[in-house]
Amino acid sequence: AQRVTQPEKLLSVFKGAPVELKCNYSYSGSPELFWYVQYSRQRLQLLLRHISRESIKGFTADLNKGETSFHLKKPFAQEEDSAMYYCALKGSNYQLIWGAGTKLIIKP
Amino acid sequence: EAGVTQFPSHSVIEKGQTVTLRCDPISGHDNLYWYRRVMGKEIKFLLHFVKESKQDESGMPNNRFLAERTGGTYSTLKVQPAELEDSGVYFCASSQGLLGPLNEKLFFGSGTQLSVL
């Protein structure tokens, strides 16, 4: 089965604290994983993808095939990071399979 | 460049009525996707067009939903007759090539919030 699990619906941390948004997946082949973000009153946009191994806005995510995880991390949270974050997996037919999303709130 | 646009942004209809959602992808994008997020649940794939052809419609919930993309430009998603469980946010996204290659990504519209009363 192809599935993405984001166990936390809500994550609240203080500004300057580290952030880790969890994502686990189930996929029989070689997975392609993404993190999408939706800021307040903005549209969904790609944050990063595992294949490019990039760091965007200080966020990184490492694919761990042994643990079937793709957790999103940032060492020092900023208030502008408050948003809805979605982990997604590219399915076998080029569609995206989504997690339920985690709402991240950064407290001042 | 103009982004993906969706119309209307909100629609409130009564059960049994018909609603048509429209999506204008980025010009030149052959691939157009429809997704839906029902309240409290994950975003679900509905269907995928490549130009005017339906590449994959495995996510369409039932035959009350009809999607078209005449001429390979804009797309419409019609719900007829609408039911309460159809309420949610309908997203459209487009990409130039198929999702997956290193430089390919989806561009999303702002979504249509559909409320069926």
Side-chain angles (χ1 to χ4, degrees):
Chain A
Q2 301 173 71
R3 187 170 58 244
V4 175
T5 304
Q6 291 181 253
E8 304 140 327
K9 285 191 175 179
L10 175 67
L11 182 63
S12 181
V13 302
F14 283 102
K15 176 182 172 182
V19 172
E20 183 179 52
L21 298 164
K22 292 184 167 52
C23 172
N24 288 89
Y25 67 90
S26 174
Y27 189 68
S28 57
S30 185
E32 289 185 49
L33 286 146
F34 307 82
W35 277 99
Y36 277 80
V37 61
Q38 188 170 24
Y39 300 103
S40 180
R41 296 192 180 88
Q42 295 187 30
R43 55 191 68 191
L44 268 167
Q45 57 186 287
L46 178 67
L47 181 62
L48 55 79
R49 69 186 90 194
H50 91 271
I51 198 168
S52 52
R53 302 184 66 80
E54 57 205 340
S55 173
I56 303 293
K57 299 184 179 182
F59 284 97
T60 59
D62 291 319
L63 176 62
N64 185 324
K65 291 186 178 181
E67 295 182 358
T68 59
S69 68
F70 187 56
H71 302 328
L72 184 68
K73 299 177 184 178
K74 184 169 182 176
F76 307 104
Q78 298 172 292
E79 287 186 68
E80 55 265 33
D81 296 329
S82 294
M84 196 74 185
Y85 291 80
Y86 294 93
C87 182
L89 166 73
K90 188 185 74 127
S92 51
N93 291 329
Y94 298 101
Q95 84 282 52
L96 285 176
I97 298 161
W98 299 81
T102 298
K103 184 172 185 177
L104 177 63
I105 296 174
I106 307 300
K107 297 178 284 190
Chain B
E1 74 184 3
V4 177
T5 56
Q6 291 187 246
F7 181 83
S9 58
H10 293 81
S11 180
V12 181
I13 60 172
E14 292 186 351
K15 175 182 170 181
Q17 290 186 320
T18 297
V19 63
T20 300
L21 314 181
R22 174 170 169 145
C23 169
D24 286 74
I26 293 173
S27 178
H29 281 194
D30 288 341
N31 292 270
L32 187 150
Y33 302 81
W34 283 98
Y35 287 89
R36 175 174 76 169
R37 183 177 64 214
V38 173
M39 177 80 75
K41 297 189 175 181
E42 66 268 22
I43 299 169
K44 293 266 191 182
F45 166 78
L46 295 178
L47 87 159
H48 170 205
F49 283 100
V50 178
K51 296 185 180 178
E52 68 274 11
S53 299
K54 290 176 186 173
Q55 178 79 9
D56 179 1
E57 53 183 332
S58 61
M60 295 287 263
N62 51 60
N63 59 9
R64 295 185 293 104
F65 288 75
L66 176 64
E68 294 180 325
R69 193 183 181 195
T70 308
T73 54
Y74 71 90
S75 174
T76 57
L77 179 65
K78 180 159 63 174
V79 185
Q80 179 183 29
E83 297 289 343
L84 300 178
E85 64 264 25
D86 301 332
S87 296
V89 181
Y90 290 76
F91 292 102
C92 175
S94 72
S95 65
Q96 190 163 23
L98 285 173
L99 182 67
L102 183 63
N103 295 318
E104 198 53 71
K105 67 177 183 179
L106 289 181
F107 293 83
F108 279 83
S110 300
T112 294
Q113 172 77 57
L114 175 64
S115 299
V116 182
L117 306 178

